[in-house]
Amino acid sequence: MRIAVVGIGYVGLVSAACFADLGAEVYCIDVDQTKIERLKQGIIPIYEPGLDELVKRGFEGGRLHFGTSLAEVLDKVEIVFSAVGTPADEDGSADLRYVLEVAKTIGQSINNYCLIVTKSTVPVGTASLVREAIQRELDKRGVQIEFDVASNPEFLKEGNAIDDFMKPDRVVVGTDSPRAYDLMTKLYKPILLNNFRVLFMDIRSAEMTKYAANAMLATRISFMNEIANLCKRVGANVNMVRRGIGSDSRIGSKFLYPGCGYGGSCFPKDVKALIHTAKEYGCQMQILDSVEAVNHTQKRVLFDMFAEHYSGEIAGRRVAVWGLAFKPGTDDMREAPSLVLIDALVQAGCSVRVYDPVAMKEAKRRLGNRVEYARDIYDCVLDADAIFHVTEWKEFRMPNWEIIRRTMHTPLLIDGRNVFDSTVDEHGFTRLSIGS
C-alpha cells in the first residue's frame, strides 16, 4: 500500500517508520524543509529508542520518502494520515488550524479517491470539520471526487512507542464507510495476523476514546498523589497501599505510582481539551477539574518538602536536579515537573545544577543560563545541599552513595518518584519521598 503521513513530529515519524517496516510505501510530508533534509541525512529530530534504526531501514529500503509537498504525492497514495500538531489554546481548546490546512490542501489537489485519516488527537466532531473543509475546496473547483474521512487515534508511550505500535493493546479505527473499513483492514493486516485487536467504531466514538483514555490515566495519577499526601498525614506507607490496591484485579497496578506530577505532550493538553469540549456542550467535568488542580499542586510538592526541611531558609543554597524530561525514555520536557521545580528554586534564590541522560540539549534551549549543567550525576551533586530525583532514569538507581555523600555539602535526598529505599539512609542520607 502507498500512504502519506503529514506532520513528521513524534506521532507522525513513529507511525510512518512503523508502517514502512510493515511493508507500506510511505511518503512523509512536513512544511519544515530543514527537518526533511536532516531526515534524509539520517538525523532524527526526536529521541525515541530504536527509531533511528527503523527510519534508516525504511529510507534505505526505498519504502520511506521525505518531502514538503502533499499536493505532489496525492495521486500516488490511497490513504493520507494527518498527524499535525494540535496545540492547546489559552482556553484549553485544541487548535485545529493545521488539521484544517491539511484538509484544505487535499480538497484543492486530489484527483482520485482518497481516505483521509486523522491521527492527531482532536476533539469530537473534528472529522466532520475536515470533511466540510475538503468538500468546500472541491465545490470551488467544480469537481466531484469521492473521499472518505476516518479517525485512527494513537496510543503511543514515549520511550516505548515502537513496541506500542507493533504490539498494541488495541488499534482504534473510527469510520462510517465500508470502503474505508476495507482499506484500514488491509493496512493493519500484519497486526491482525498476530492476533492484535483492531476495534472499529463510529468516528465520534473513536475521537472520544483517545481523550477518555488519557483522562483516565491522568486521573489515576492524581488520585494516587492525593492518597500519598494523605498517607503522609496519617502515618501510612503509600507504597504498601499502592501494592494493596494494585493487586485487586478490578484496579490493577498501572499508573498508580505516586510522584511529583504528570507532564508531557498528551495528558495536560488532553485533559484541558476534554474539559473545554464538555463546557461547549454544557457539561462540567468535575473529576477532571480536580485531576488538573491536583496535578498543578503536586508539581510544587518537592519544592515545598525542601523548604519545610530547611524551615524556609533556602536562599543561597546549592541544589542538584536529577532528571529533566517529563518521563524516562524521552527528551521531551513539555509540562515537565522539573520546570516547575527549577522555576521555584531559582525564584527562591537557590543555585541549581542539573543533569539528564538525554534531555540536556532541550534543557539548555528552555532554561538558558538560569541553571548550571553537569556532566553526570556525580558532577551534578558537588557541594549540594539537596538532590532532587525528578525523572526515574535507570542510570540514577544504583549510584555510589559513598562518593555522593562525600562530595555533597548536606546529604539530603528528595525522591520525587519513590525509587529509593532505606539502603540510602544507611549511607548517612536524610531521605524525603512522596507520601512520607
Side-chain angles (χ1 to χ4, degrees):
M1 292 188 72
R2 290 183 174 183
I3 67 174
V5 178
V6 187
I8 308 304
Y10 183 85
V11 172
L13 184 57
V14 171
S15 299
C18 288
F19 277 132
D21 212 52
L22 291 172
E25 187 167 357
V26 185
Y27 295 86
C28 302
I29 306 298
D30 198 285
V31 295
D32 188 335
Q33 178 73 49
T34 301
K35 179 193 291 185
I36 292 299
E37 291 303 319
R38 289 169 69 86
L39 281 165
K40 290 178 180 178
Q41 298 167 26
I43 302 172
I44 309 301
I46 58 175
Y47 177 81
E48 177 63 36
L51 183 58
D52 51 351
E53 294 92 342
L54 207 62
V55 171
K56 180 181 179 182
R57 187 159 66 235
F59 184 65
E60 293 181 350
R63 297 184 305 278
L64 208 54
H65 312 274
F66 299 103
T68 57
S69 174
L70 174 58
E72 290 180 2
V73 304
L74 280 173
D75 287 344
K76 302 177 183 178
V77 302
E78 298 171 89
I79 305 174
V80 175
F81 281 90
S82 177
V84 294
T86 54
D89 277 340
E90 291 182 5
D91 62 359
S93 63
D95 185 345
L96 297 178
R97 77 180 79 173
Y98 306 115
V99 172
L100 296 179
E101 282 178 8
V102 171
K104 182 178 180 181
T105 298
I106 292 171
Q108 291 171 340
S109 307
I110 56 170
N111 297 304
N112 306 297
Y113 171 84
C114 187
L115 170 60
I116 297 90
V117 183
T118 302
K119 198 73 175 168
S120 309
T121 302
V122 294
V124 176
T126 298
S128 297
L129 298 177
V130 168
R131 192 189 306 274
E132 291 168 5
I134 295 172
Q135 189 60 54
R136 275 197 302 271
E137 297 305 318
L138 293 176
D139 291 343
K140 289 179 184 178
R141 292 167 59 191
V143 296
Q144 293 183 357
I145 300 172
E146 289 187 41
F147 69 94
D148 283 312
V149 176
S151 173
N152 180 209
E154 55 84 18
F155 298 96
L156 307 177
K157 297 187 295 292
E158 294 190 35
N160 199 55
I162 293 171
D163 271 356
D164 284 347
F165 192 100
M166 298 297 198
K167 304 171 185 177
D169 294 325
R170 78 293 196 202
V171 174
V172 172
V173 177
T175 179
D176 54 10
S177 159
R179 189 171 183 177
Y181 177 97
D182 290 343
L183 275 175
M184 294 300 284
T185 301
K186 181 180 176 182
L187 179 64
Y188 279 113
K189 186 176 180 180
I191 289 176
L192 284 166
L193 291 173
N194 290 323
N195 295 318
F196 295 118
R197 293 184 300 166
V198 179
L199 304 179
F200 285 94
M201 59 186 70
D202 64 276
I203 294 175
R204 285 181 176 248
S205 294
E207 291 171 333
M208 177 59 80
T209 296
K210 169 62 176 179
Y211 278 110
N214 280 352
M216 173 58 77
L217 297 176
T219 298
R220 287 171 68 92
I221 293 170
S222 282
F223 169 80
M224 204 63 216
N225 283 334
E226 286 225 297
I227 292 297
N229 294 334
L230 182 57
C231 284
K232 181 177 181 179
R233 297 289 184 92
V234 303
N237 185 322
V238 68
N239 292 319
M240 295 297 102
V241 173
R242 179 187 62 79
R243 289 173 59 188
I245 65 175
S247 61
D248 187 326
S249 61
R250 298 168 300 175
I251 299 172
S253 61
K254 293 183 177 179
F255 286 84
L256 283 185
Y257 291 87
C260 49
Y262 61 76
S265 62
C266 293
F267 288 4
K269 175 174 69 70
D270 292 354
V271 169
K272 288 183 176 69
L274 192 52
I275 291 171
H276 184 270
T277 295
K279 288 179 179 177
E280 287 186 323
Y281 284 84
C283 297
Q284 182 182 357
M285 306 294 280
Q286 297 180 53
I287 292 176
L288 293 187
D289 284 336
S290 297
V291 166
E292 191 176 31
V294 168
N295 193 57
H296 179 76
T297 301
Q298 196 70 15
K299 287 184 178 182
R300 284 190 58 90
V301 70
L302 300 186
F303 175 80
D304 292 340
M305 292 163 67
F306 173 64
E308 182 180 352
H309 178 81
Y310 282 112
S311 301
E313 297 180 3
I314 57 177
R317 294 194 183 274
R318 186 174 179 83
V319 301
V321 176
W322 283 358
L324 301 168
F326 85 93
K327 61 177 283 187
T330 181
D331 60 351
D332 194 342
M333 289 181 63
R334 284 174 287 185
E335 302 278 353
S338 63
L339 295 174
V340 177
L341 170 64
I342 289 169
D343 186 59
L345 290 168
V346 170
Q347 288 190 27
C350 298
S351 297
V352 182
R353 193 166 176 82
V354 303
Y355 174 70
D356 188 285
V358 170
M360 294 295 272
K361 181 178 179 181
E362 178 66 9
K364 290 175 182 178
R365 186 183 73 82
R366 288 179 173 271
L367 299 171
N369 60 4
R370 300 174 66 208
V371 301
E372 300 172 18
Y373 299 94
R375 297 186 303 273
D376 53 39
I377 59 174
Y378 299 103
D379 182 40
C380 192
V381 303
L382 293 176
D383 298 321
D385 290 299
I387 300 171
F388 291 92
H389 176 236
V390 184
T391 312
E392 63 274 34
W393 289 96
K394 292 180 180 178
E395 179 178 326
F396 300 152
R397 293 185 182 179
M398 292 193 296
N400 188 319
W401 291 111
E402 287 297 327
I403 292 176
I404 291 173
R405 169 69 182 85
R406 290 198 301 269
T407 56
M408 289 185 71
H409 182 263
T410 307
L412 172 63
L413 171 65
I414 303 177
D415 184 5
R417 297 298 176 183
N418 285 14
V419 167
F420 303 109
D421 57 23
S422 58
T423 57
V424 178
D425 309 347
E426 297 169 4
H427 294 279
F429 279 80
T430 298
R431 176 174 53 93
L432 306 178
S433 55
I434 304 297
S436 64

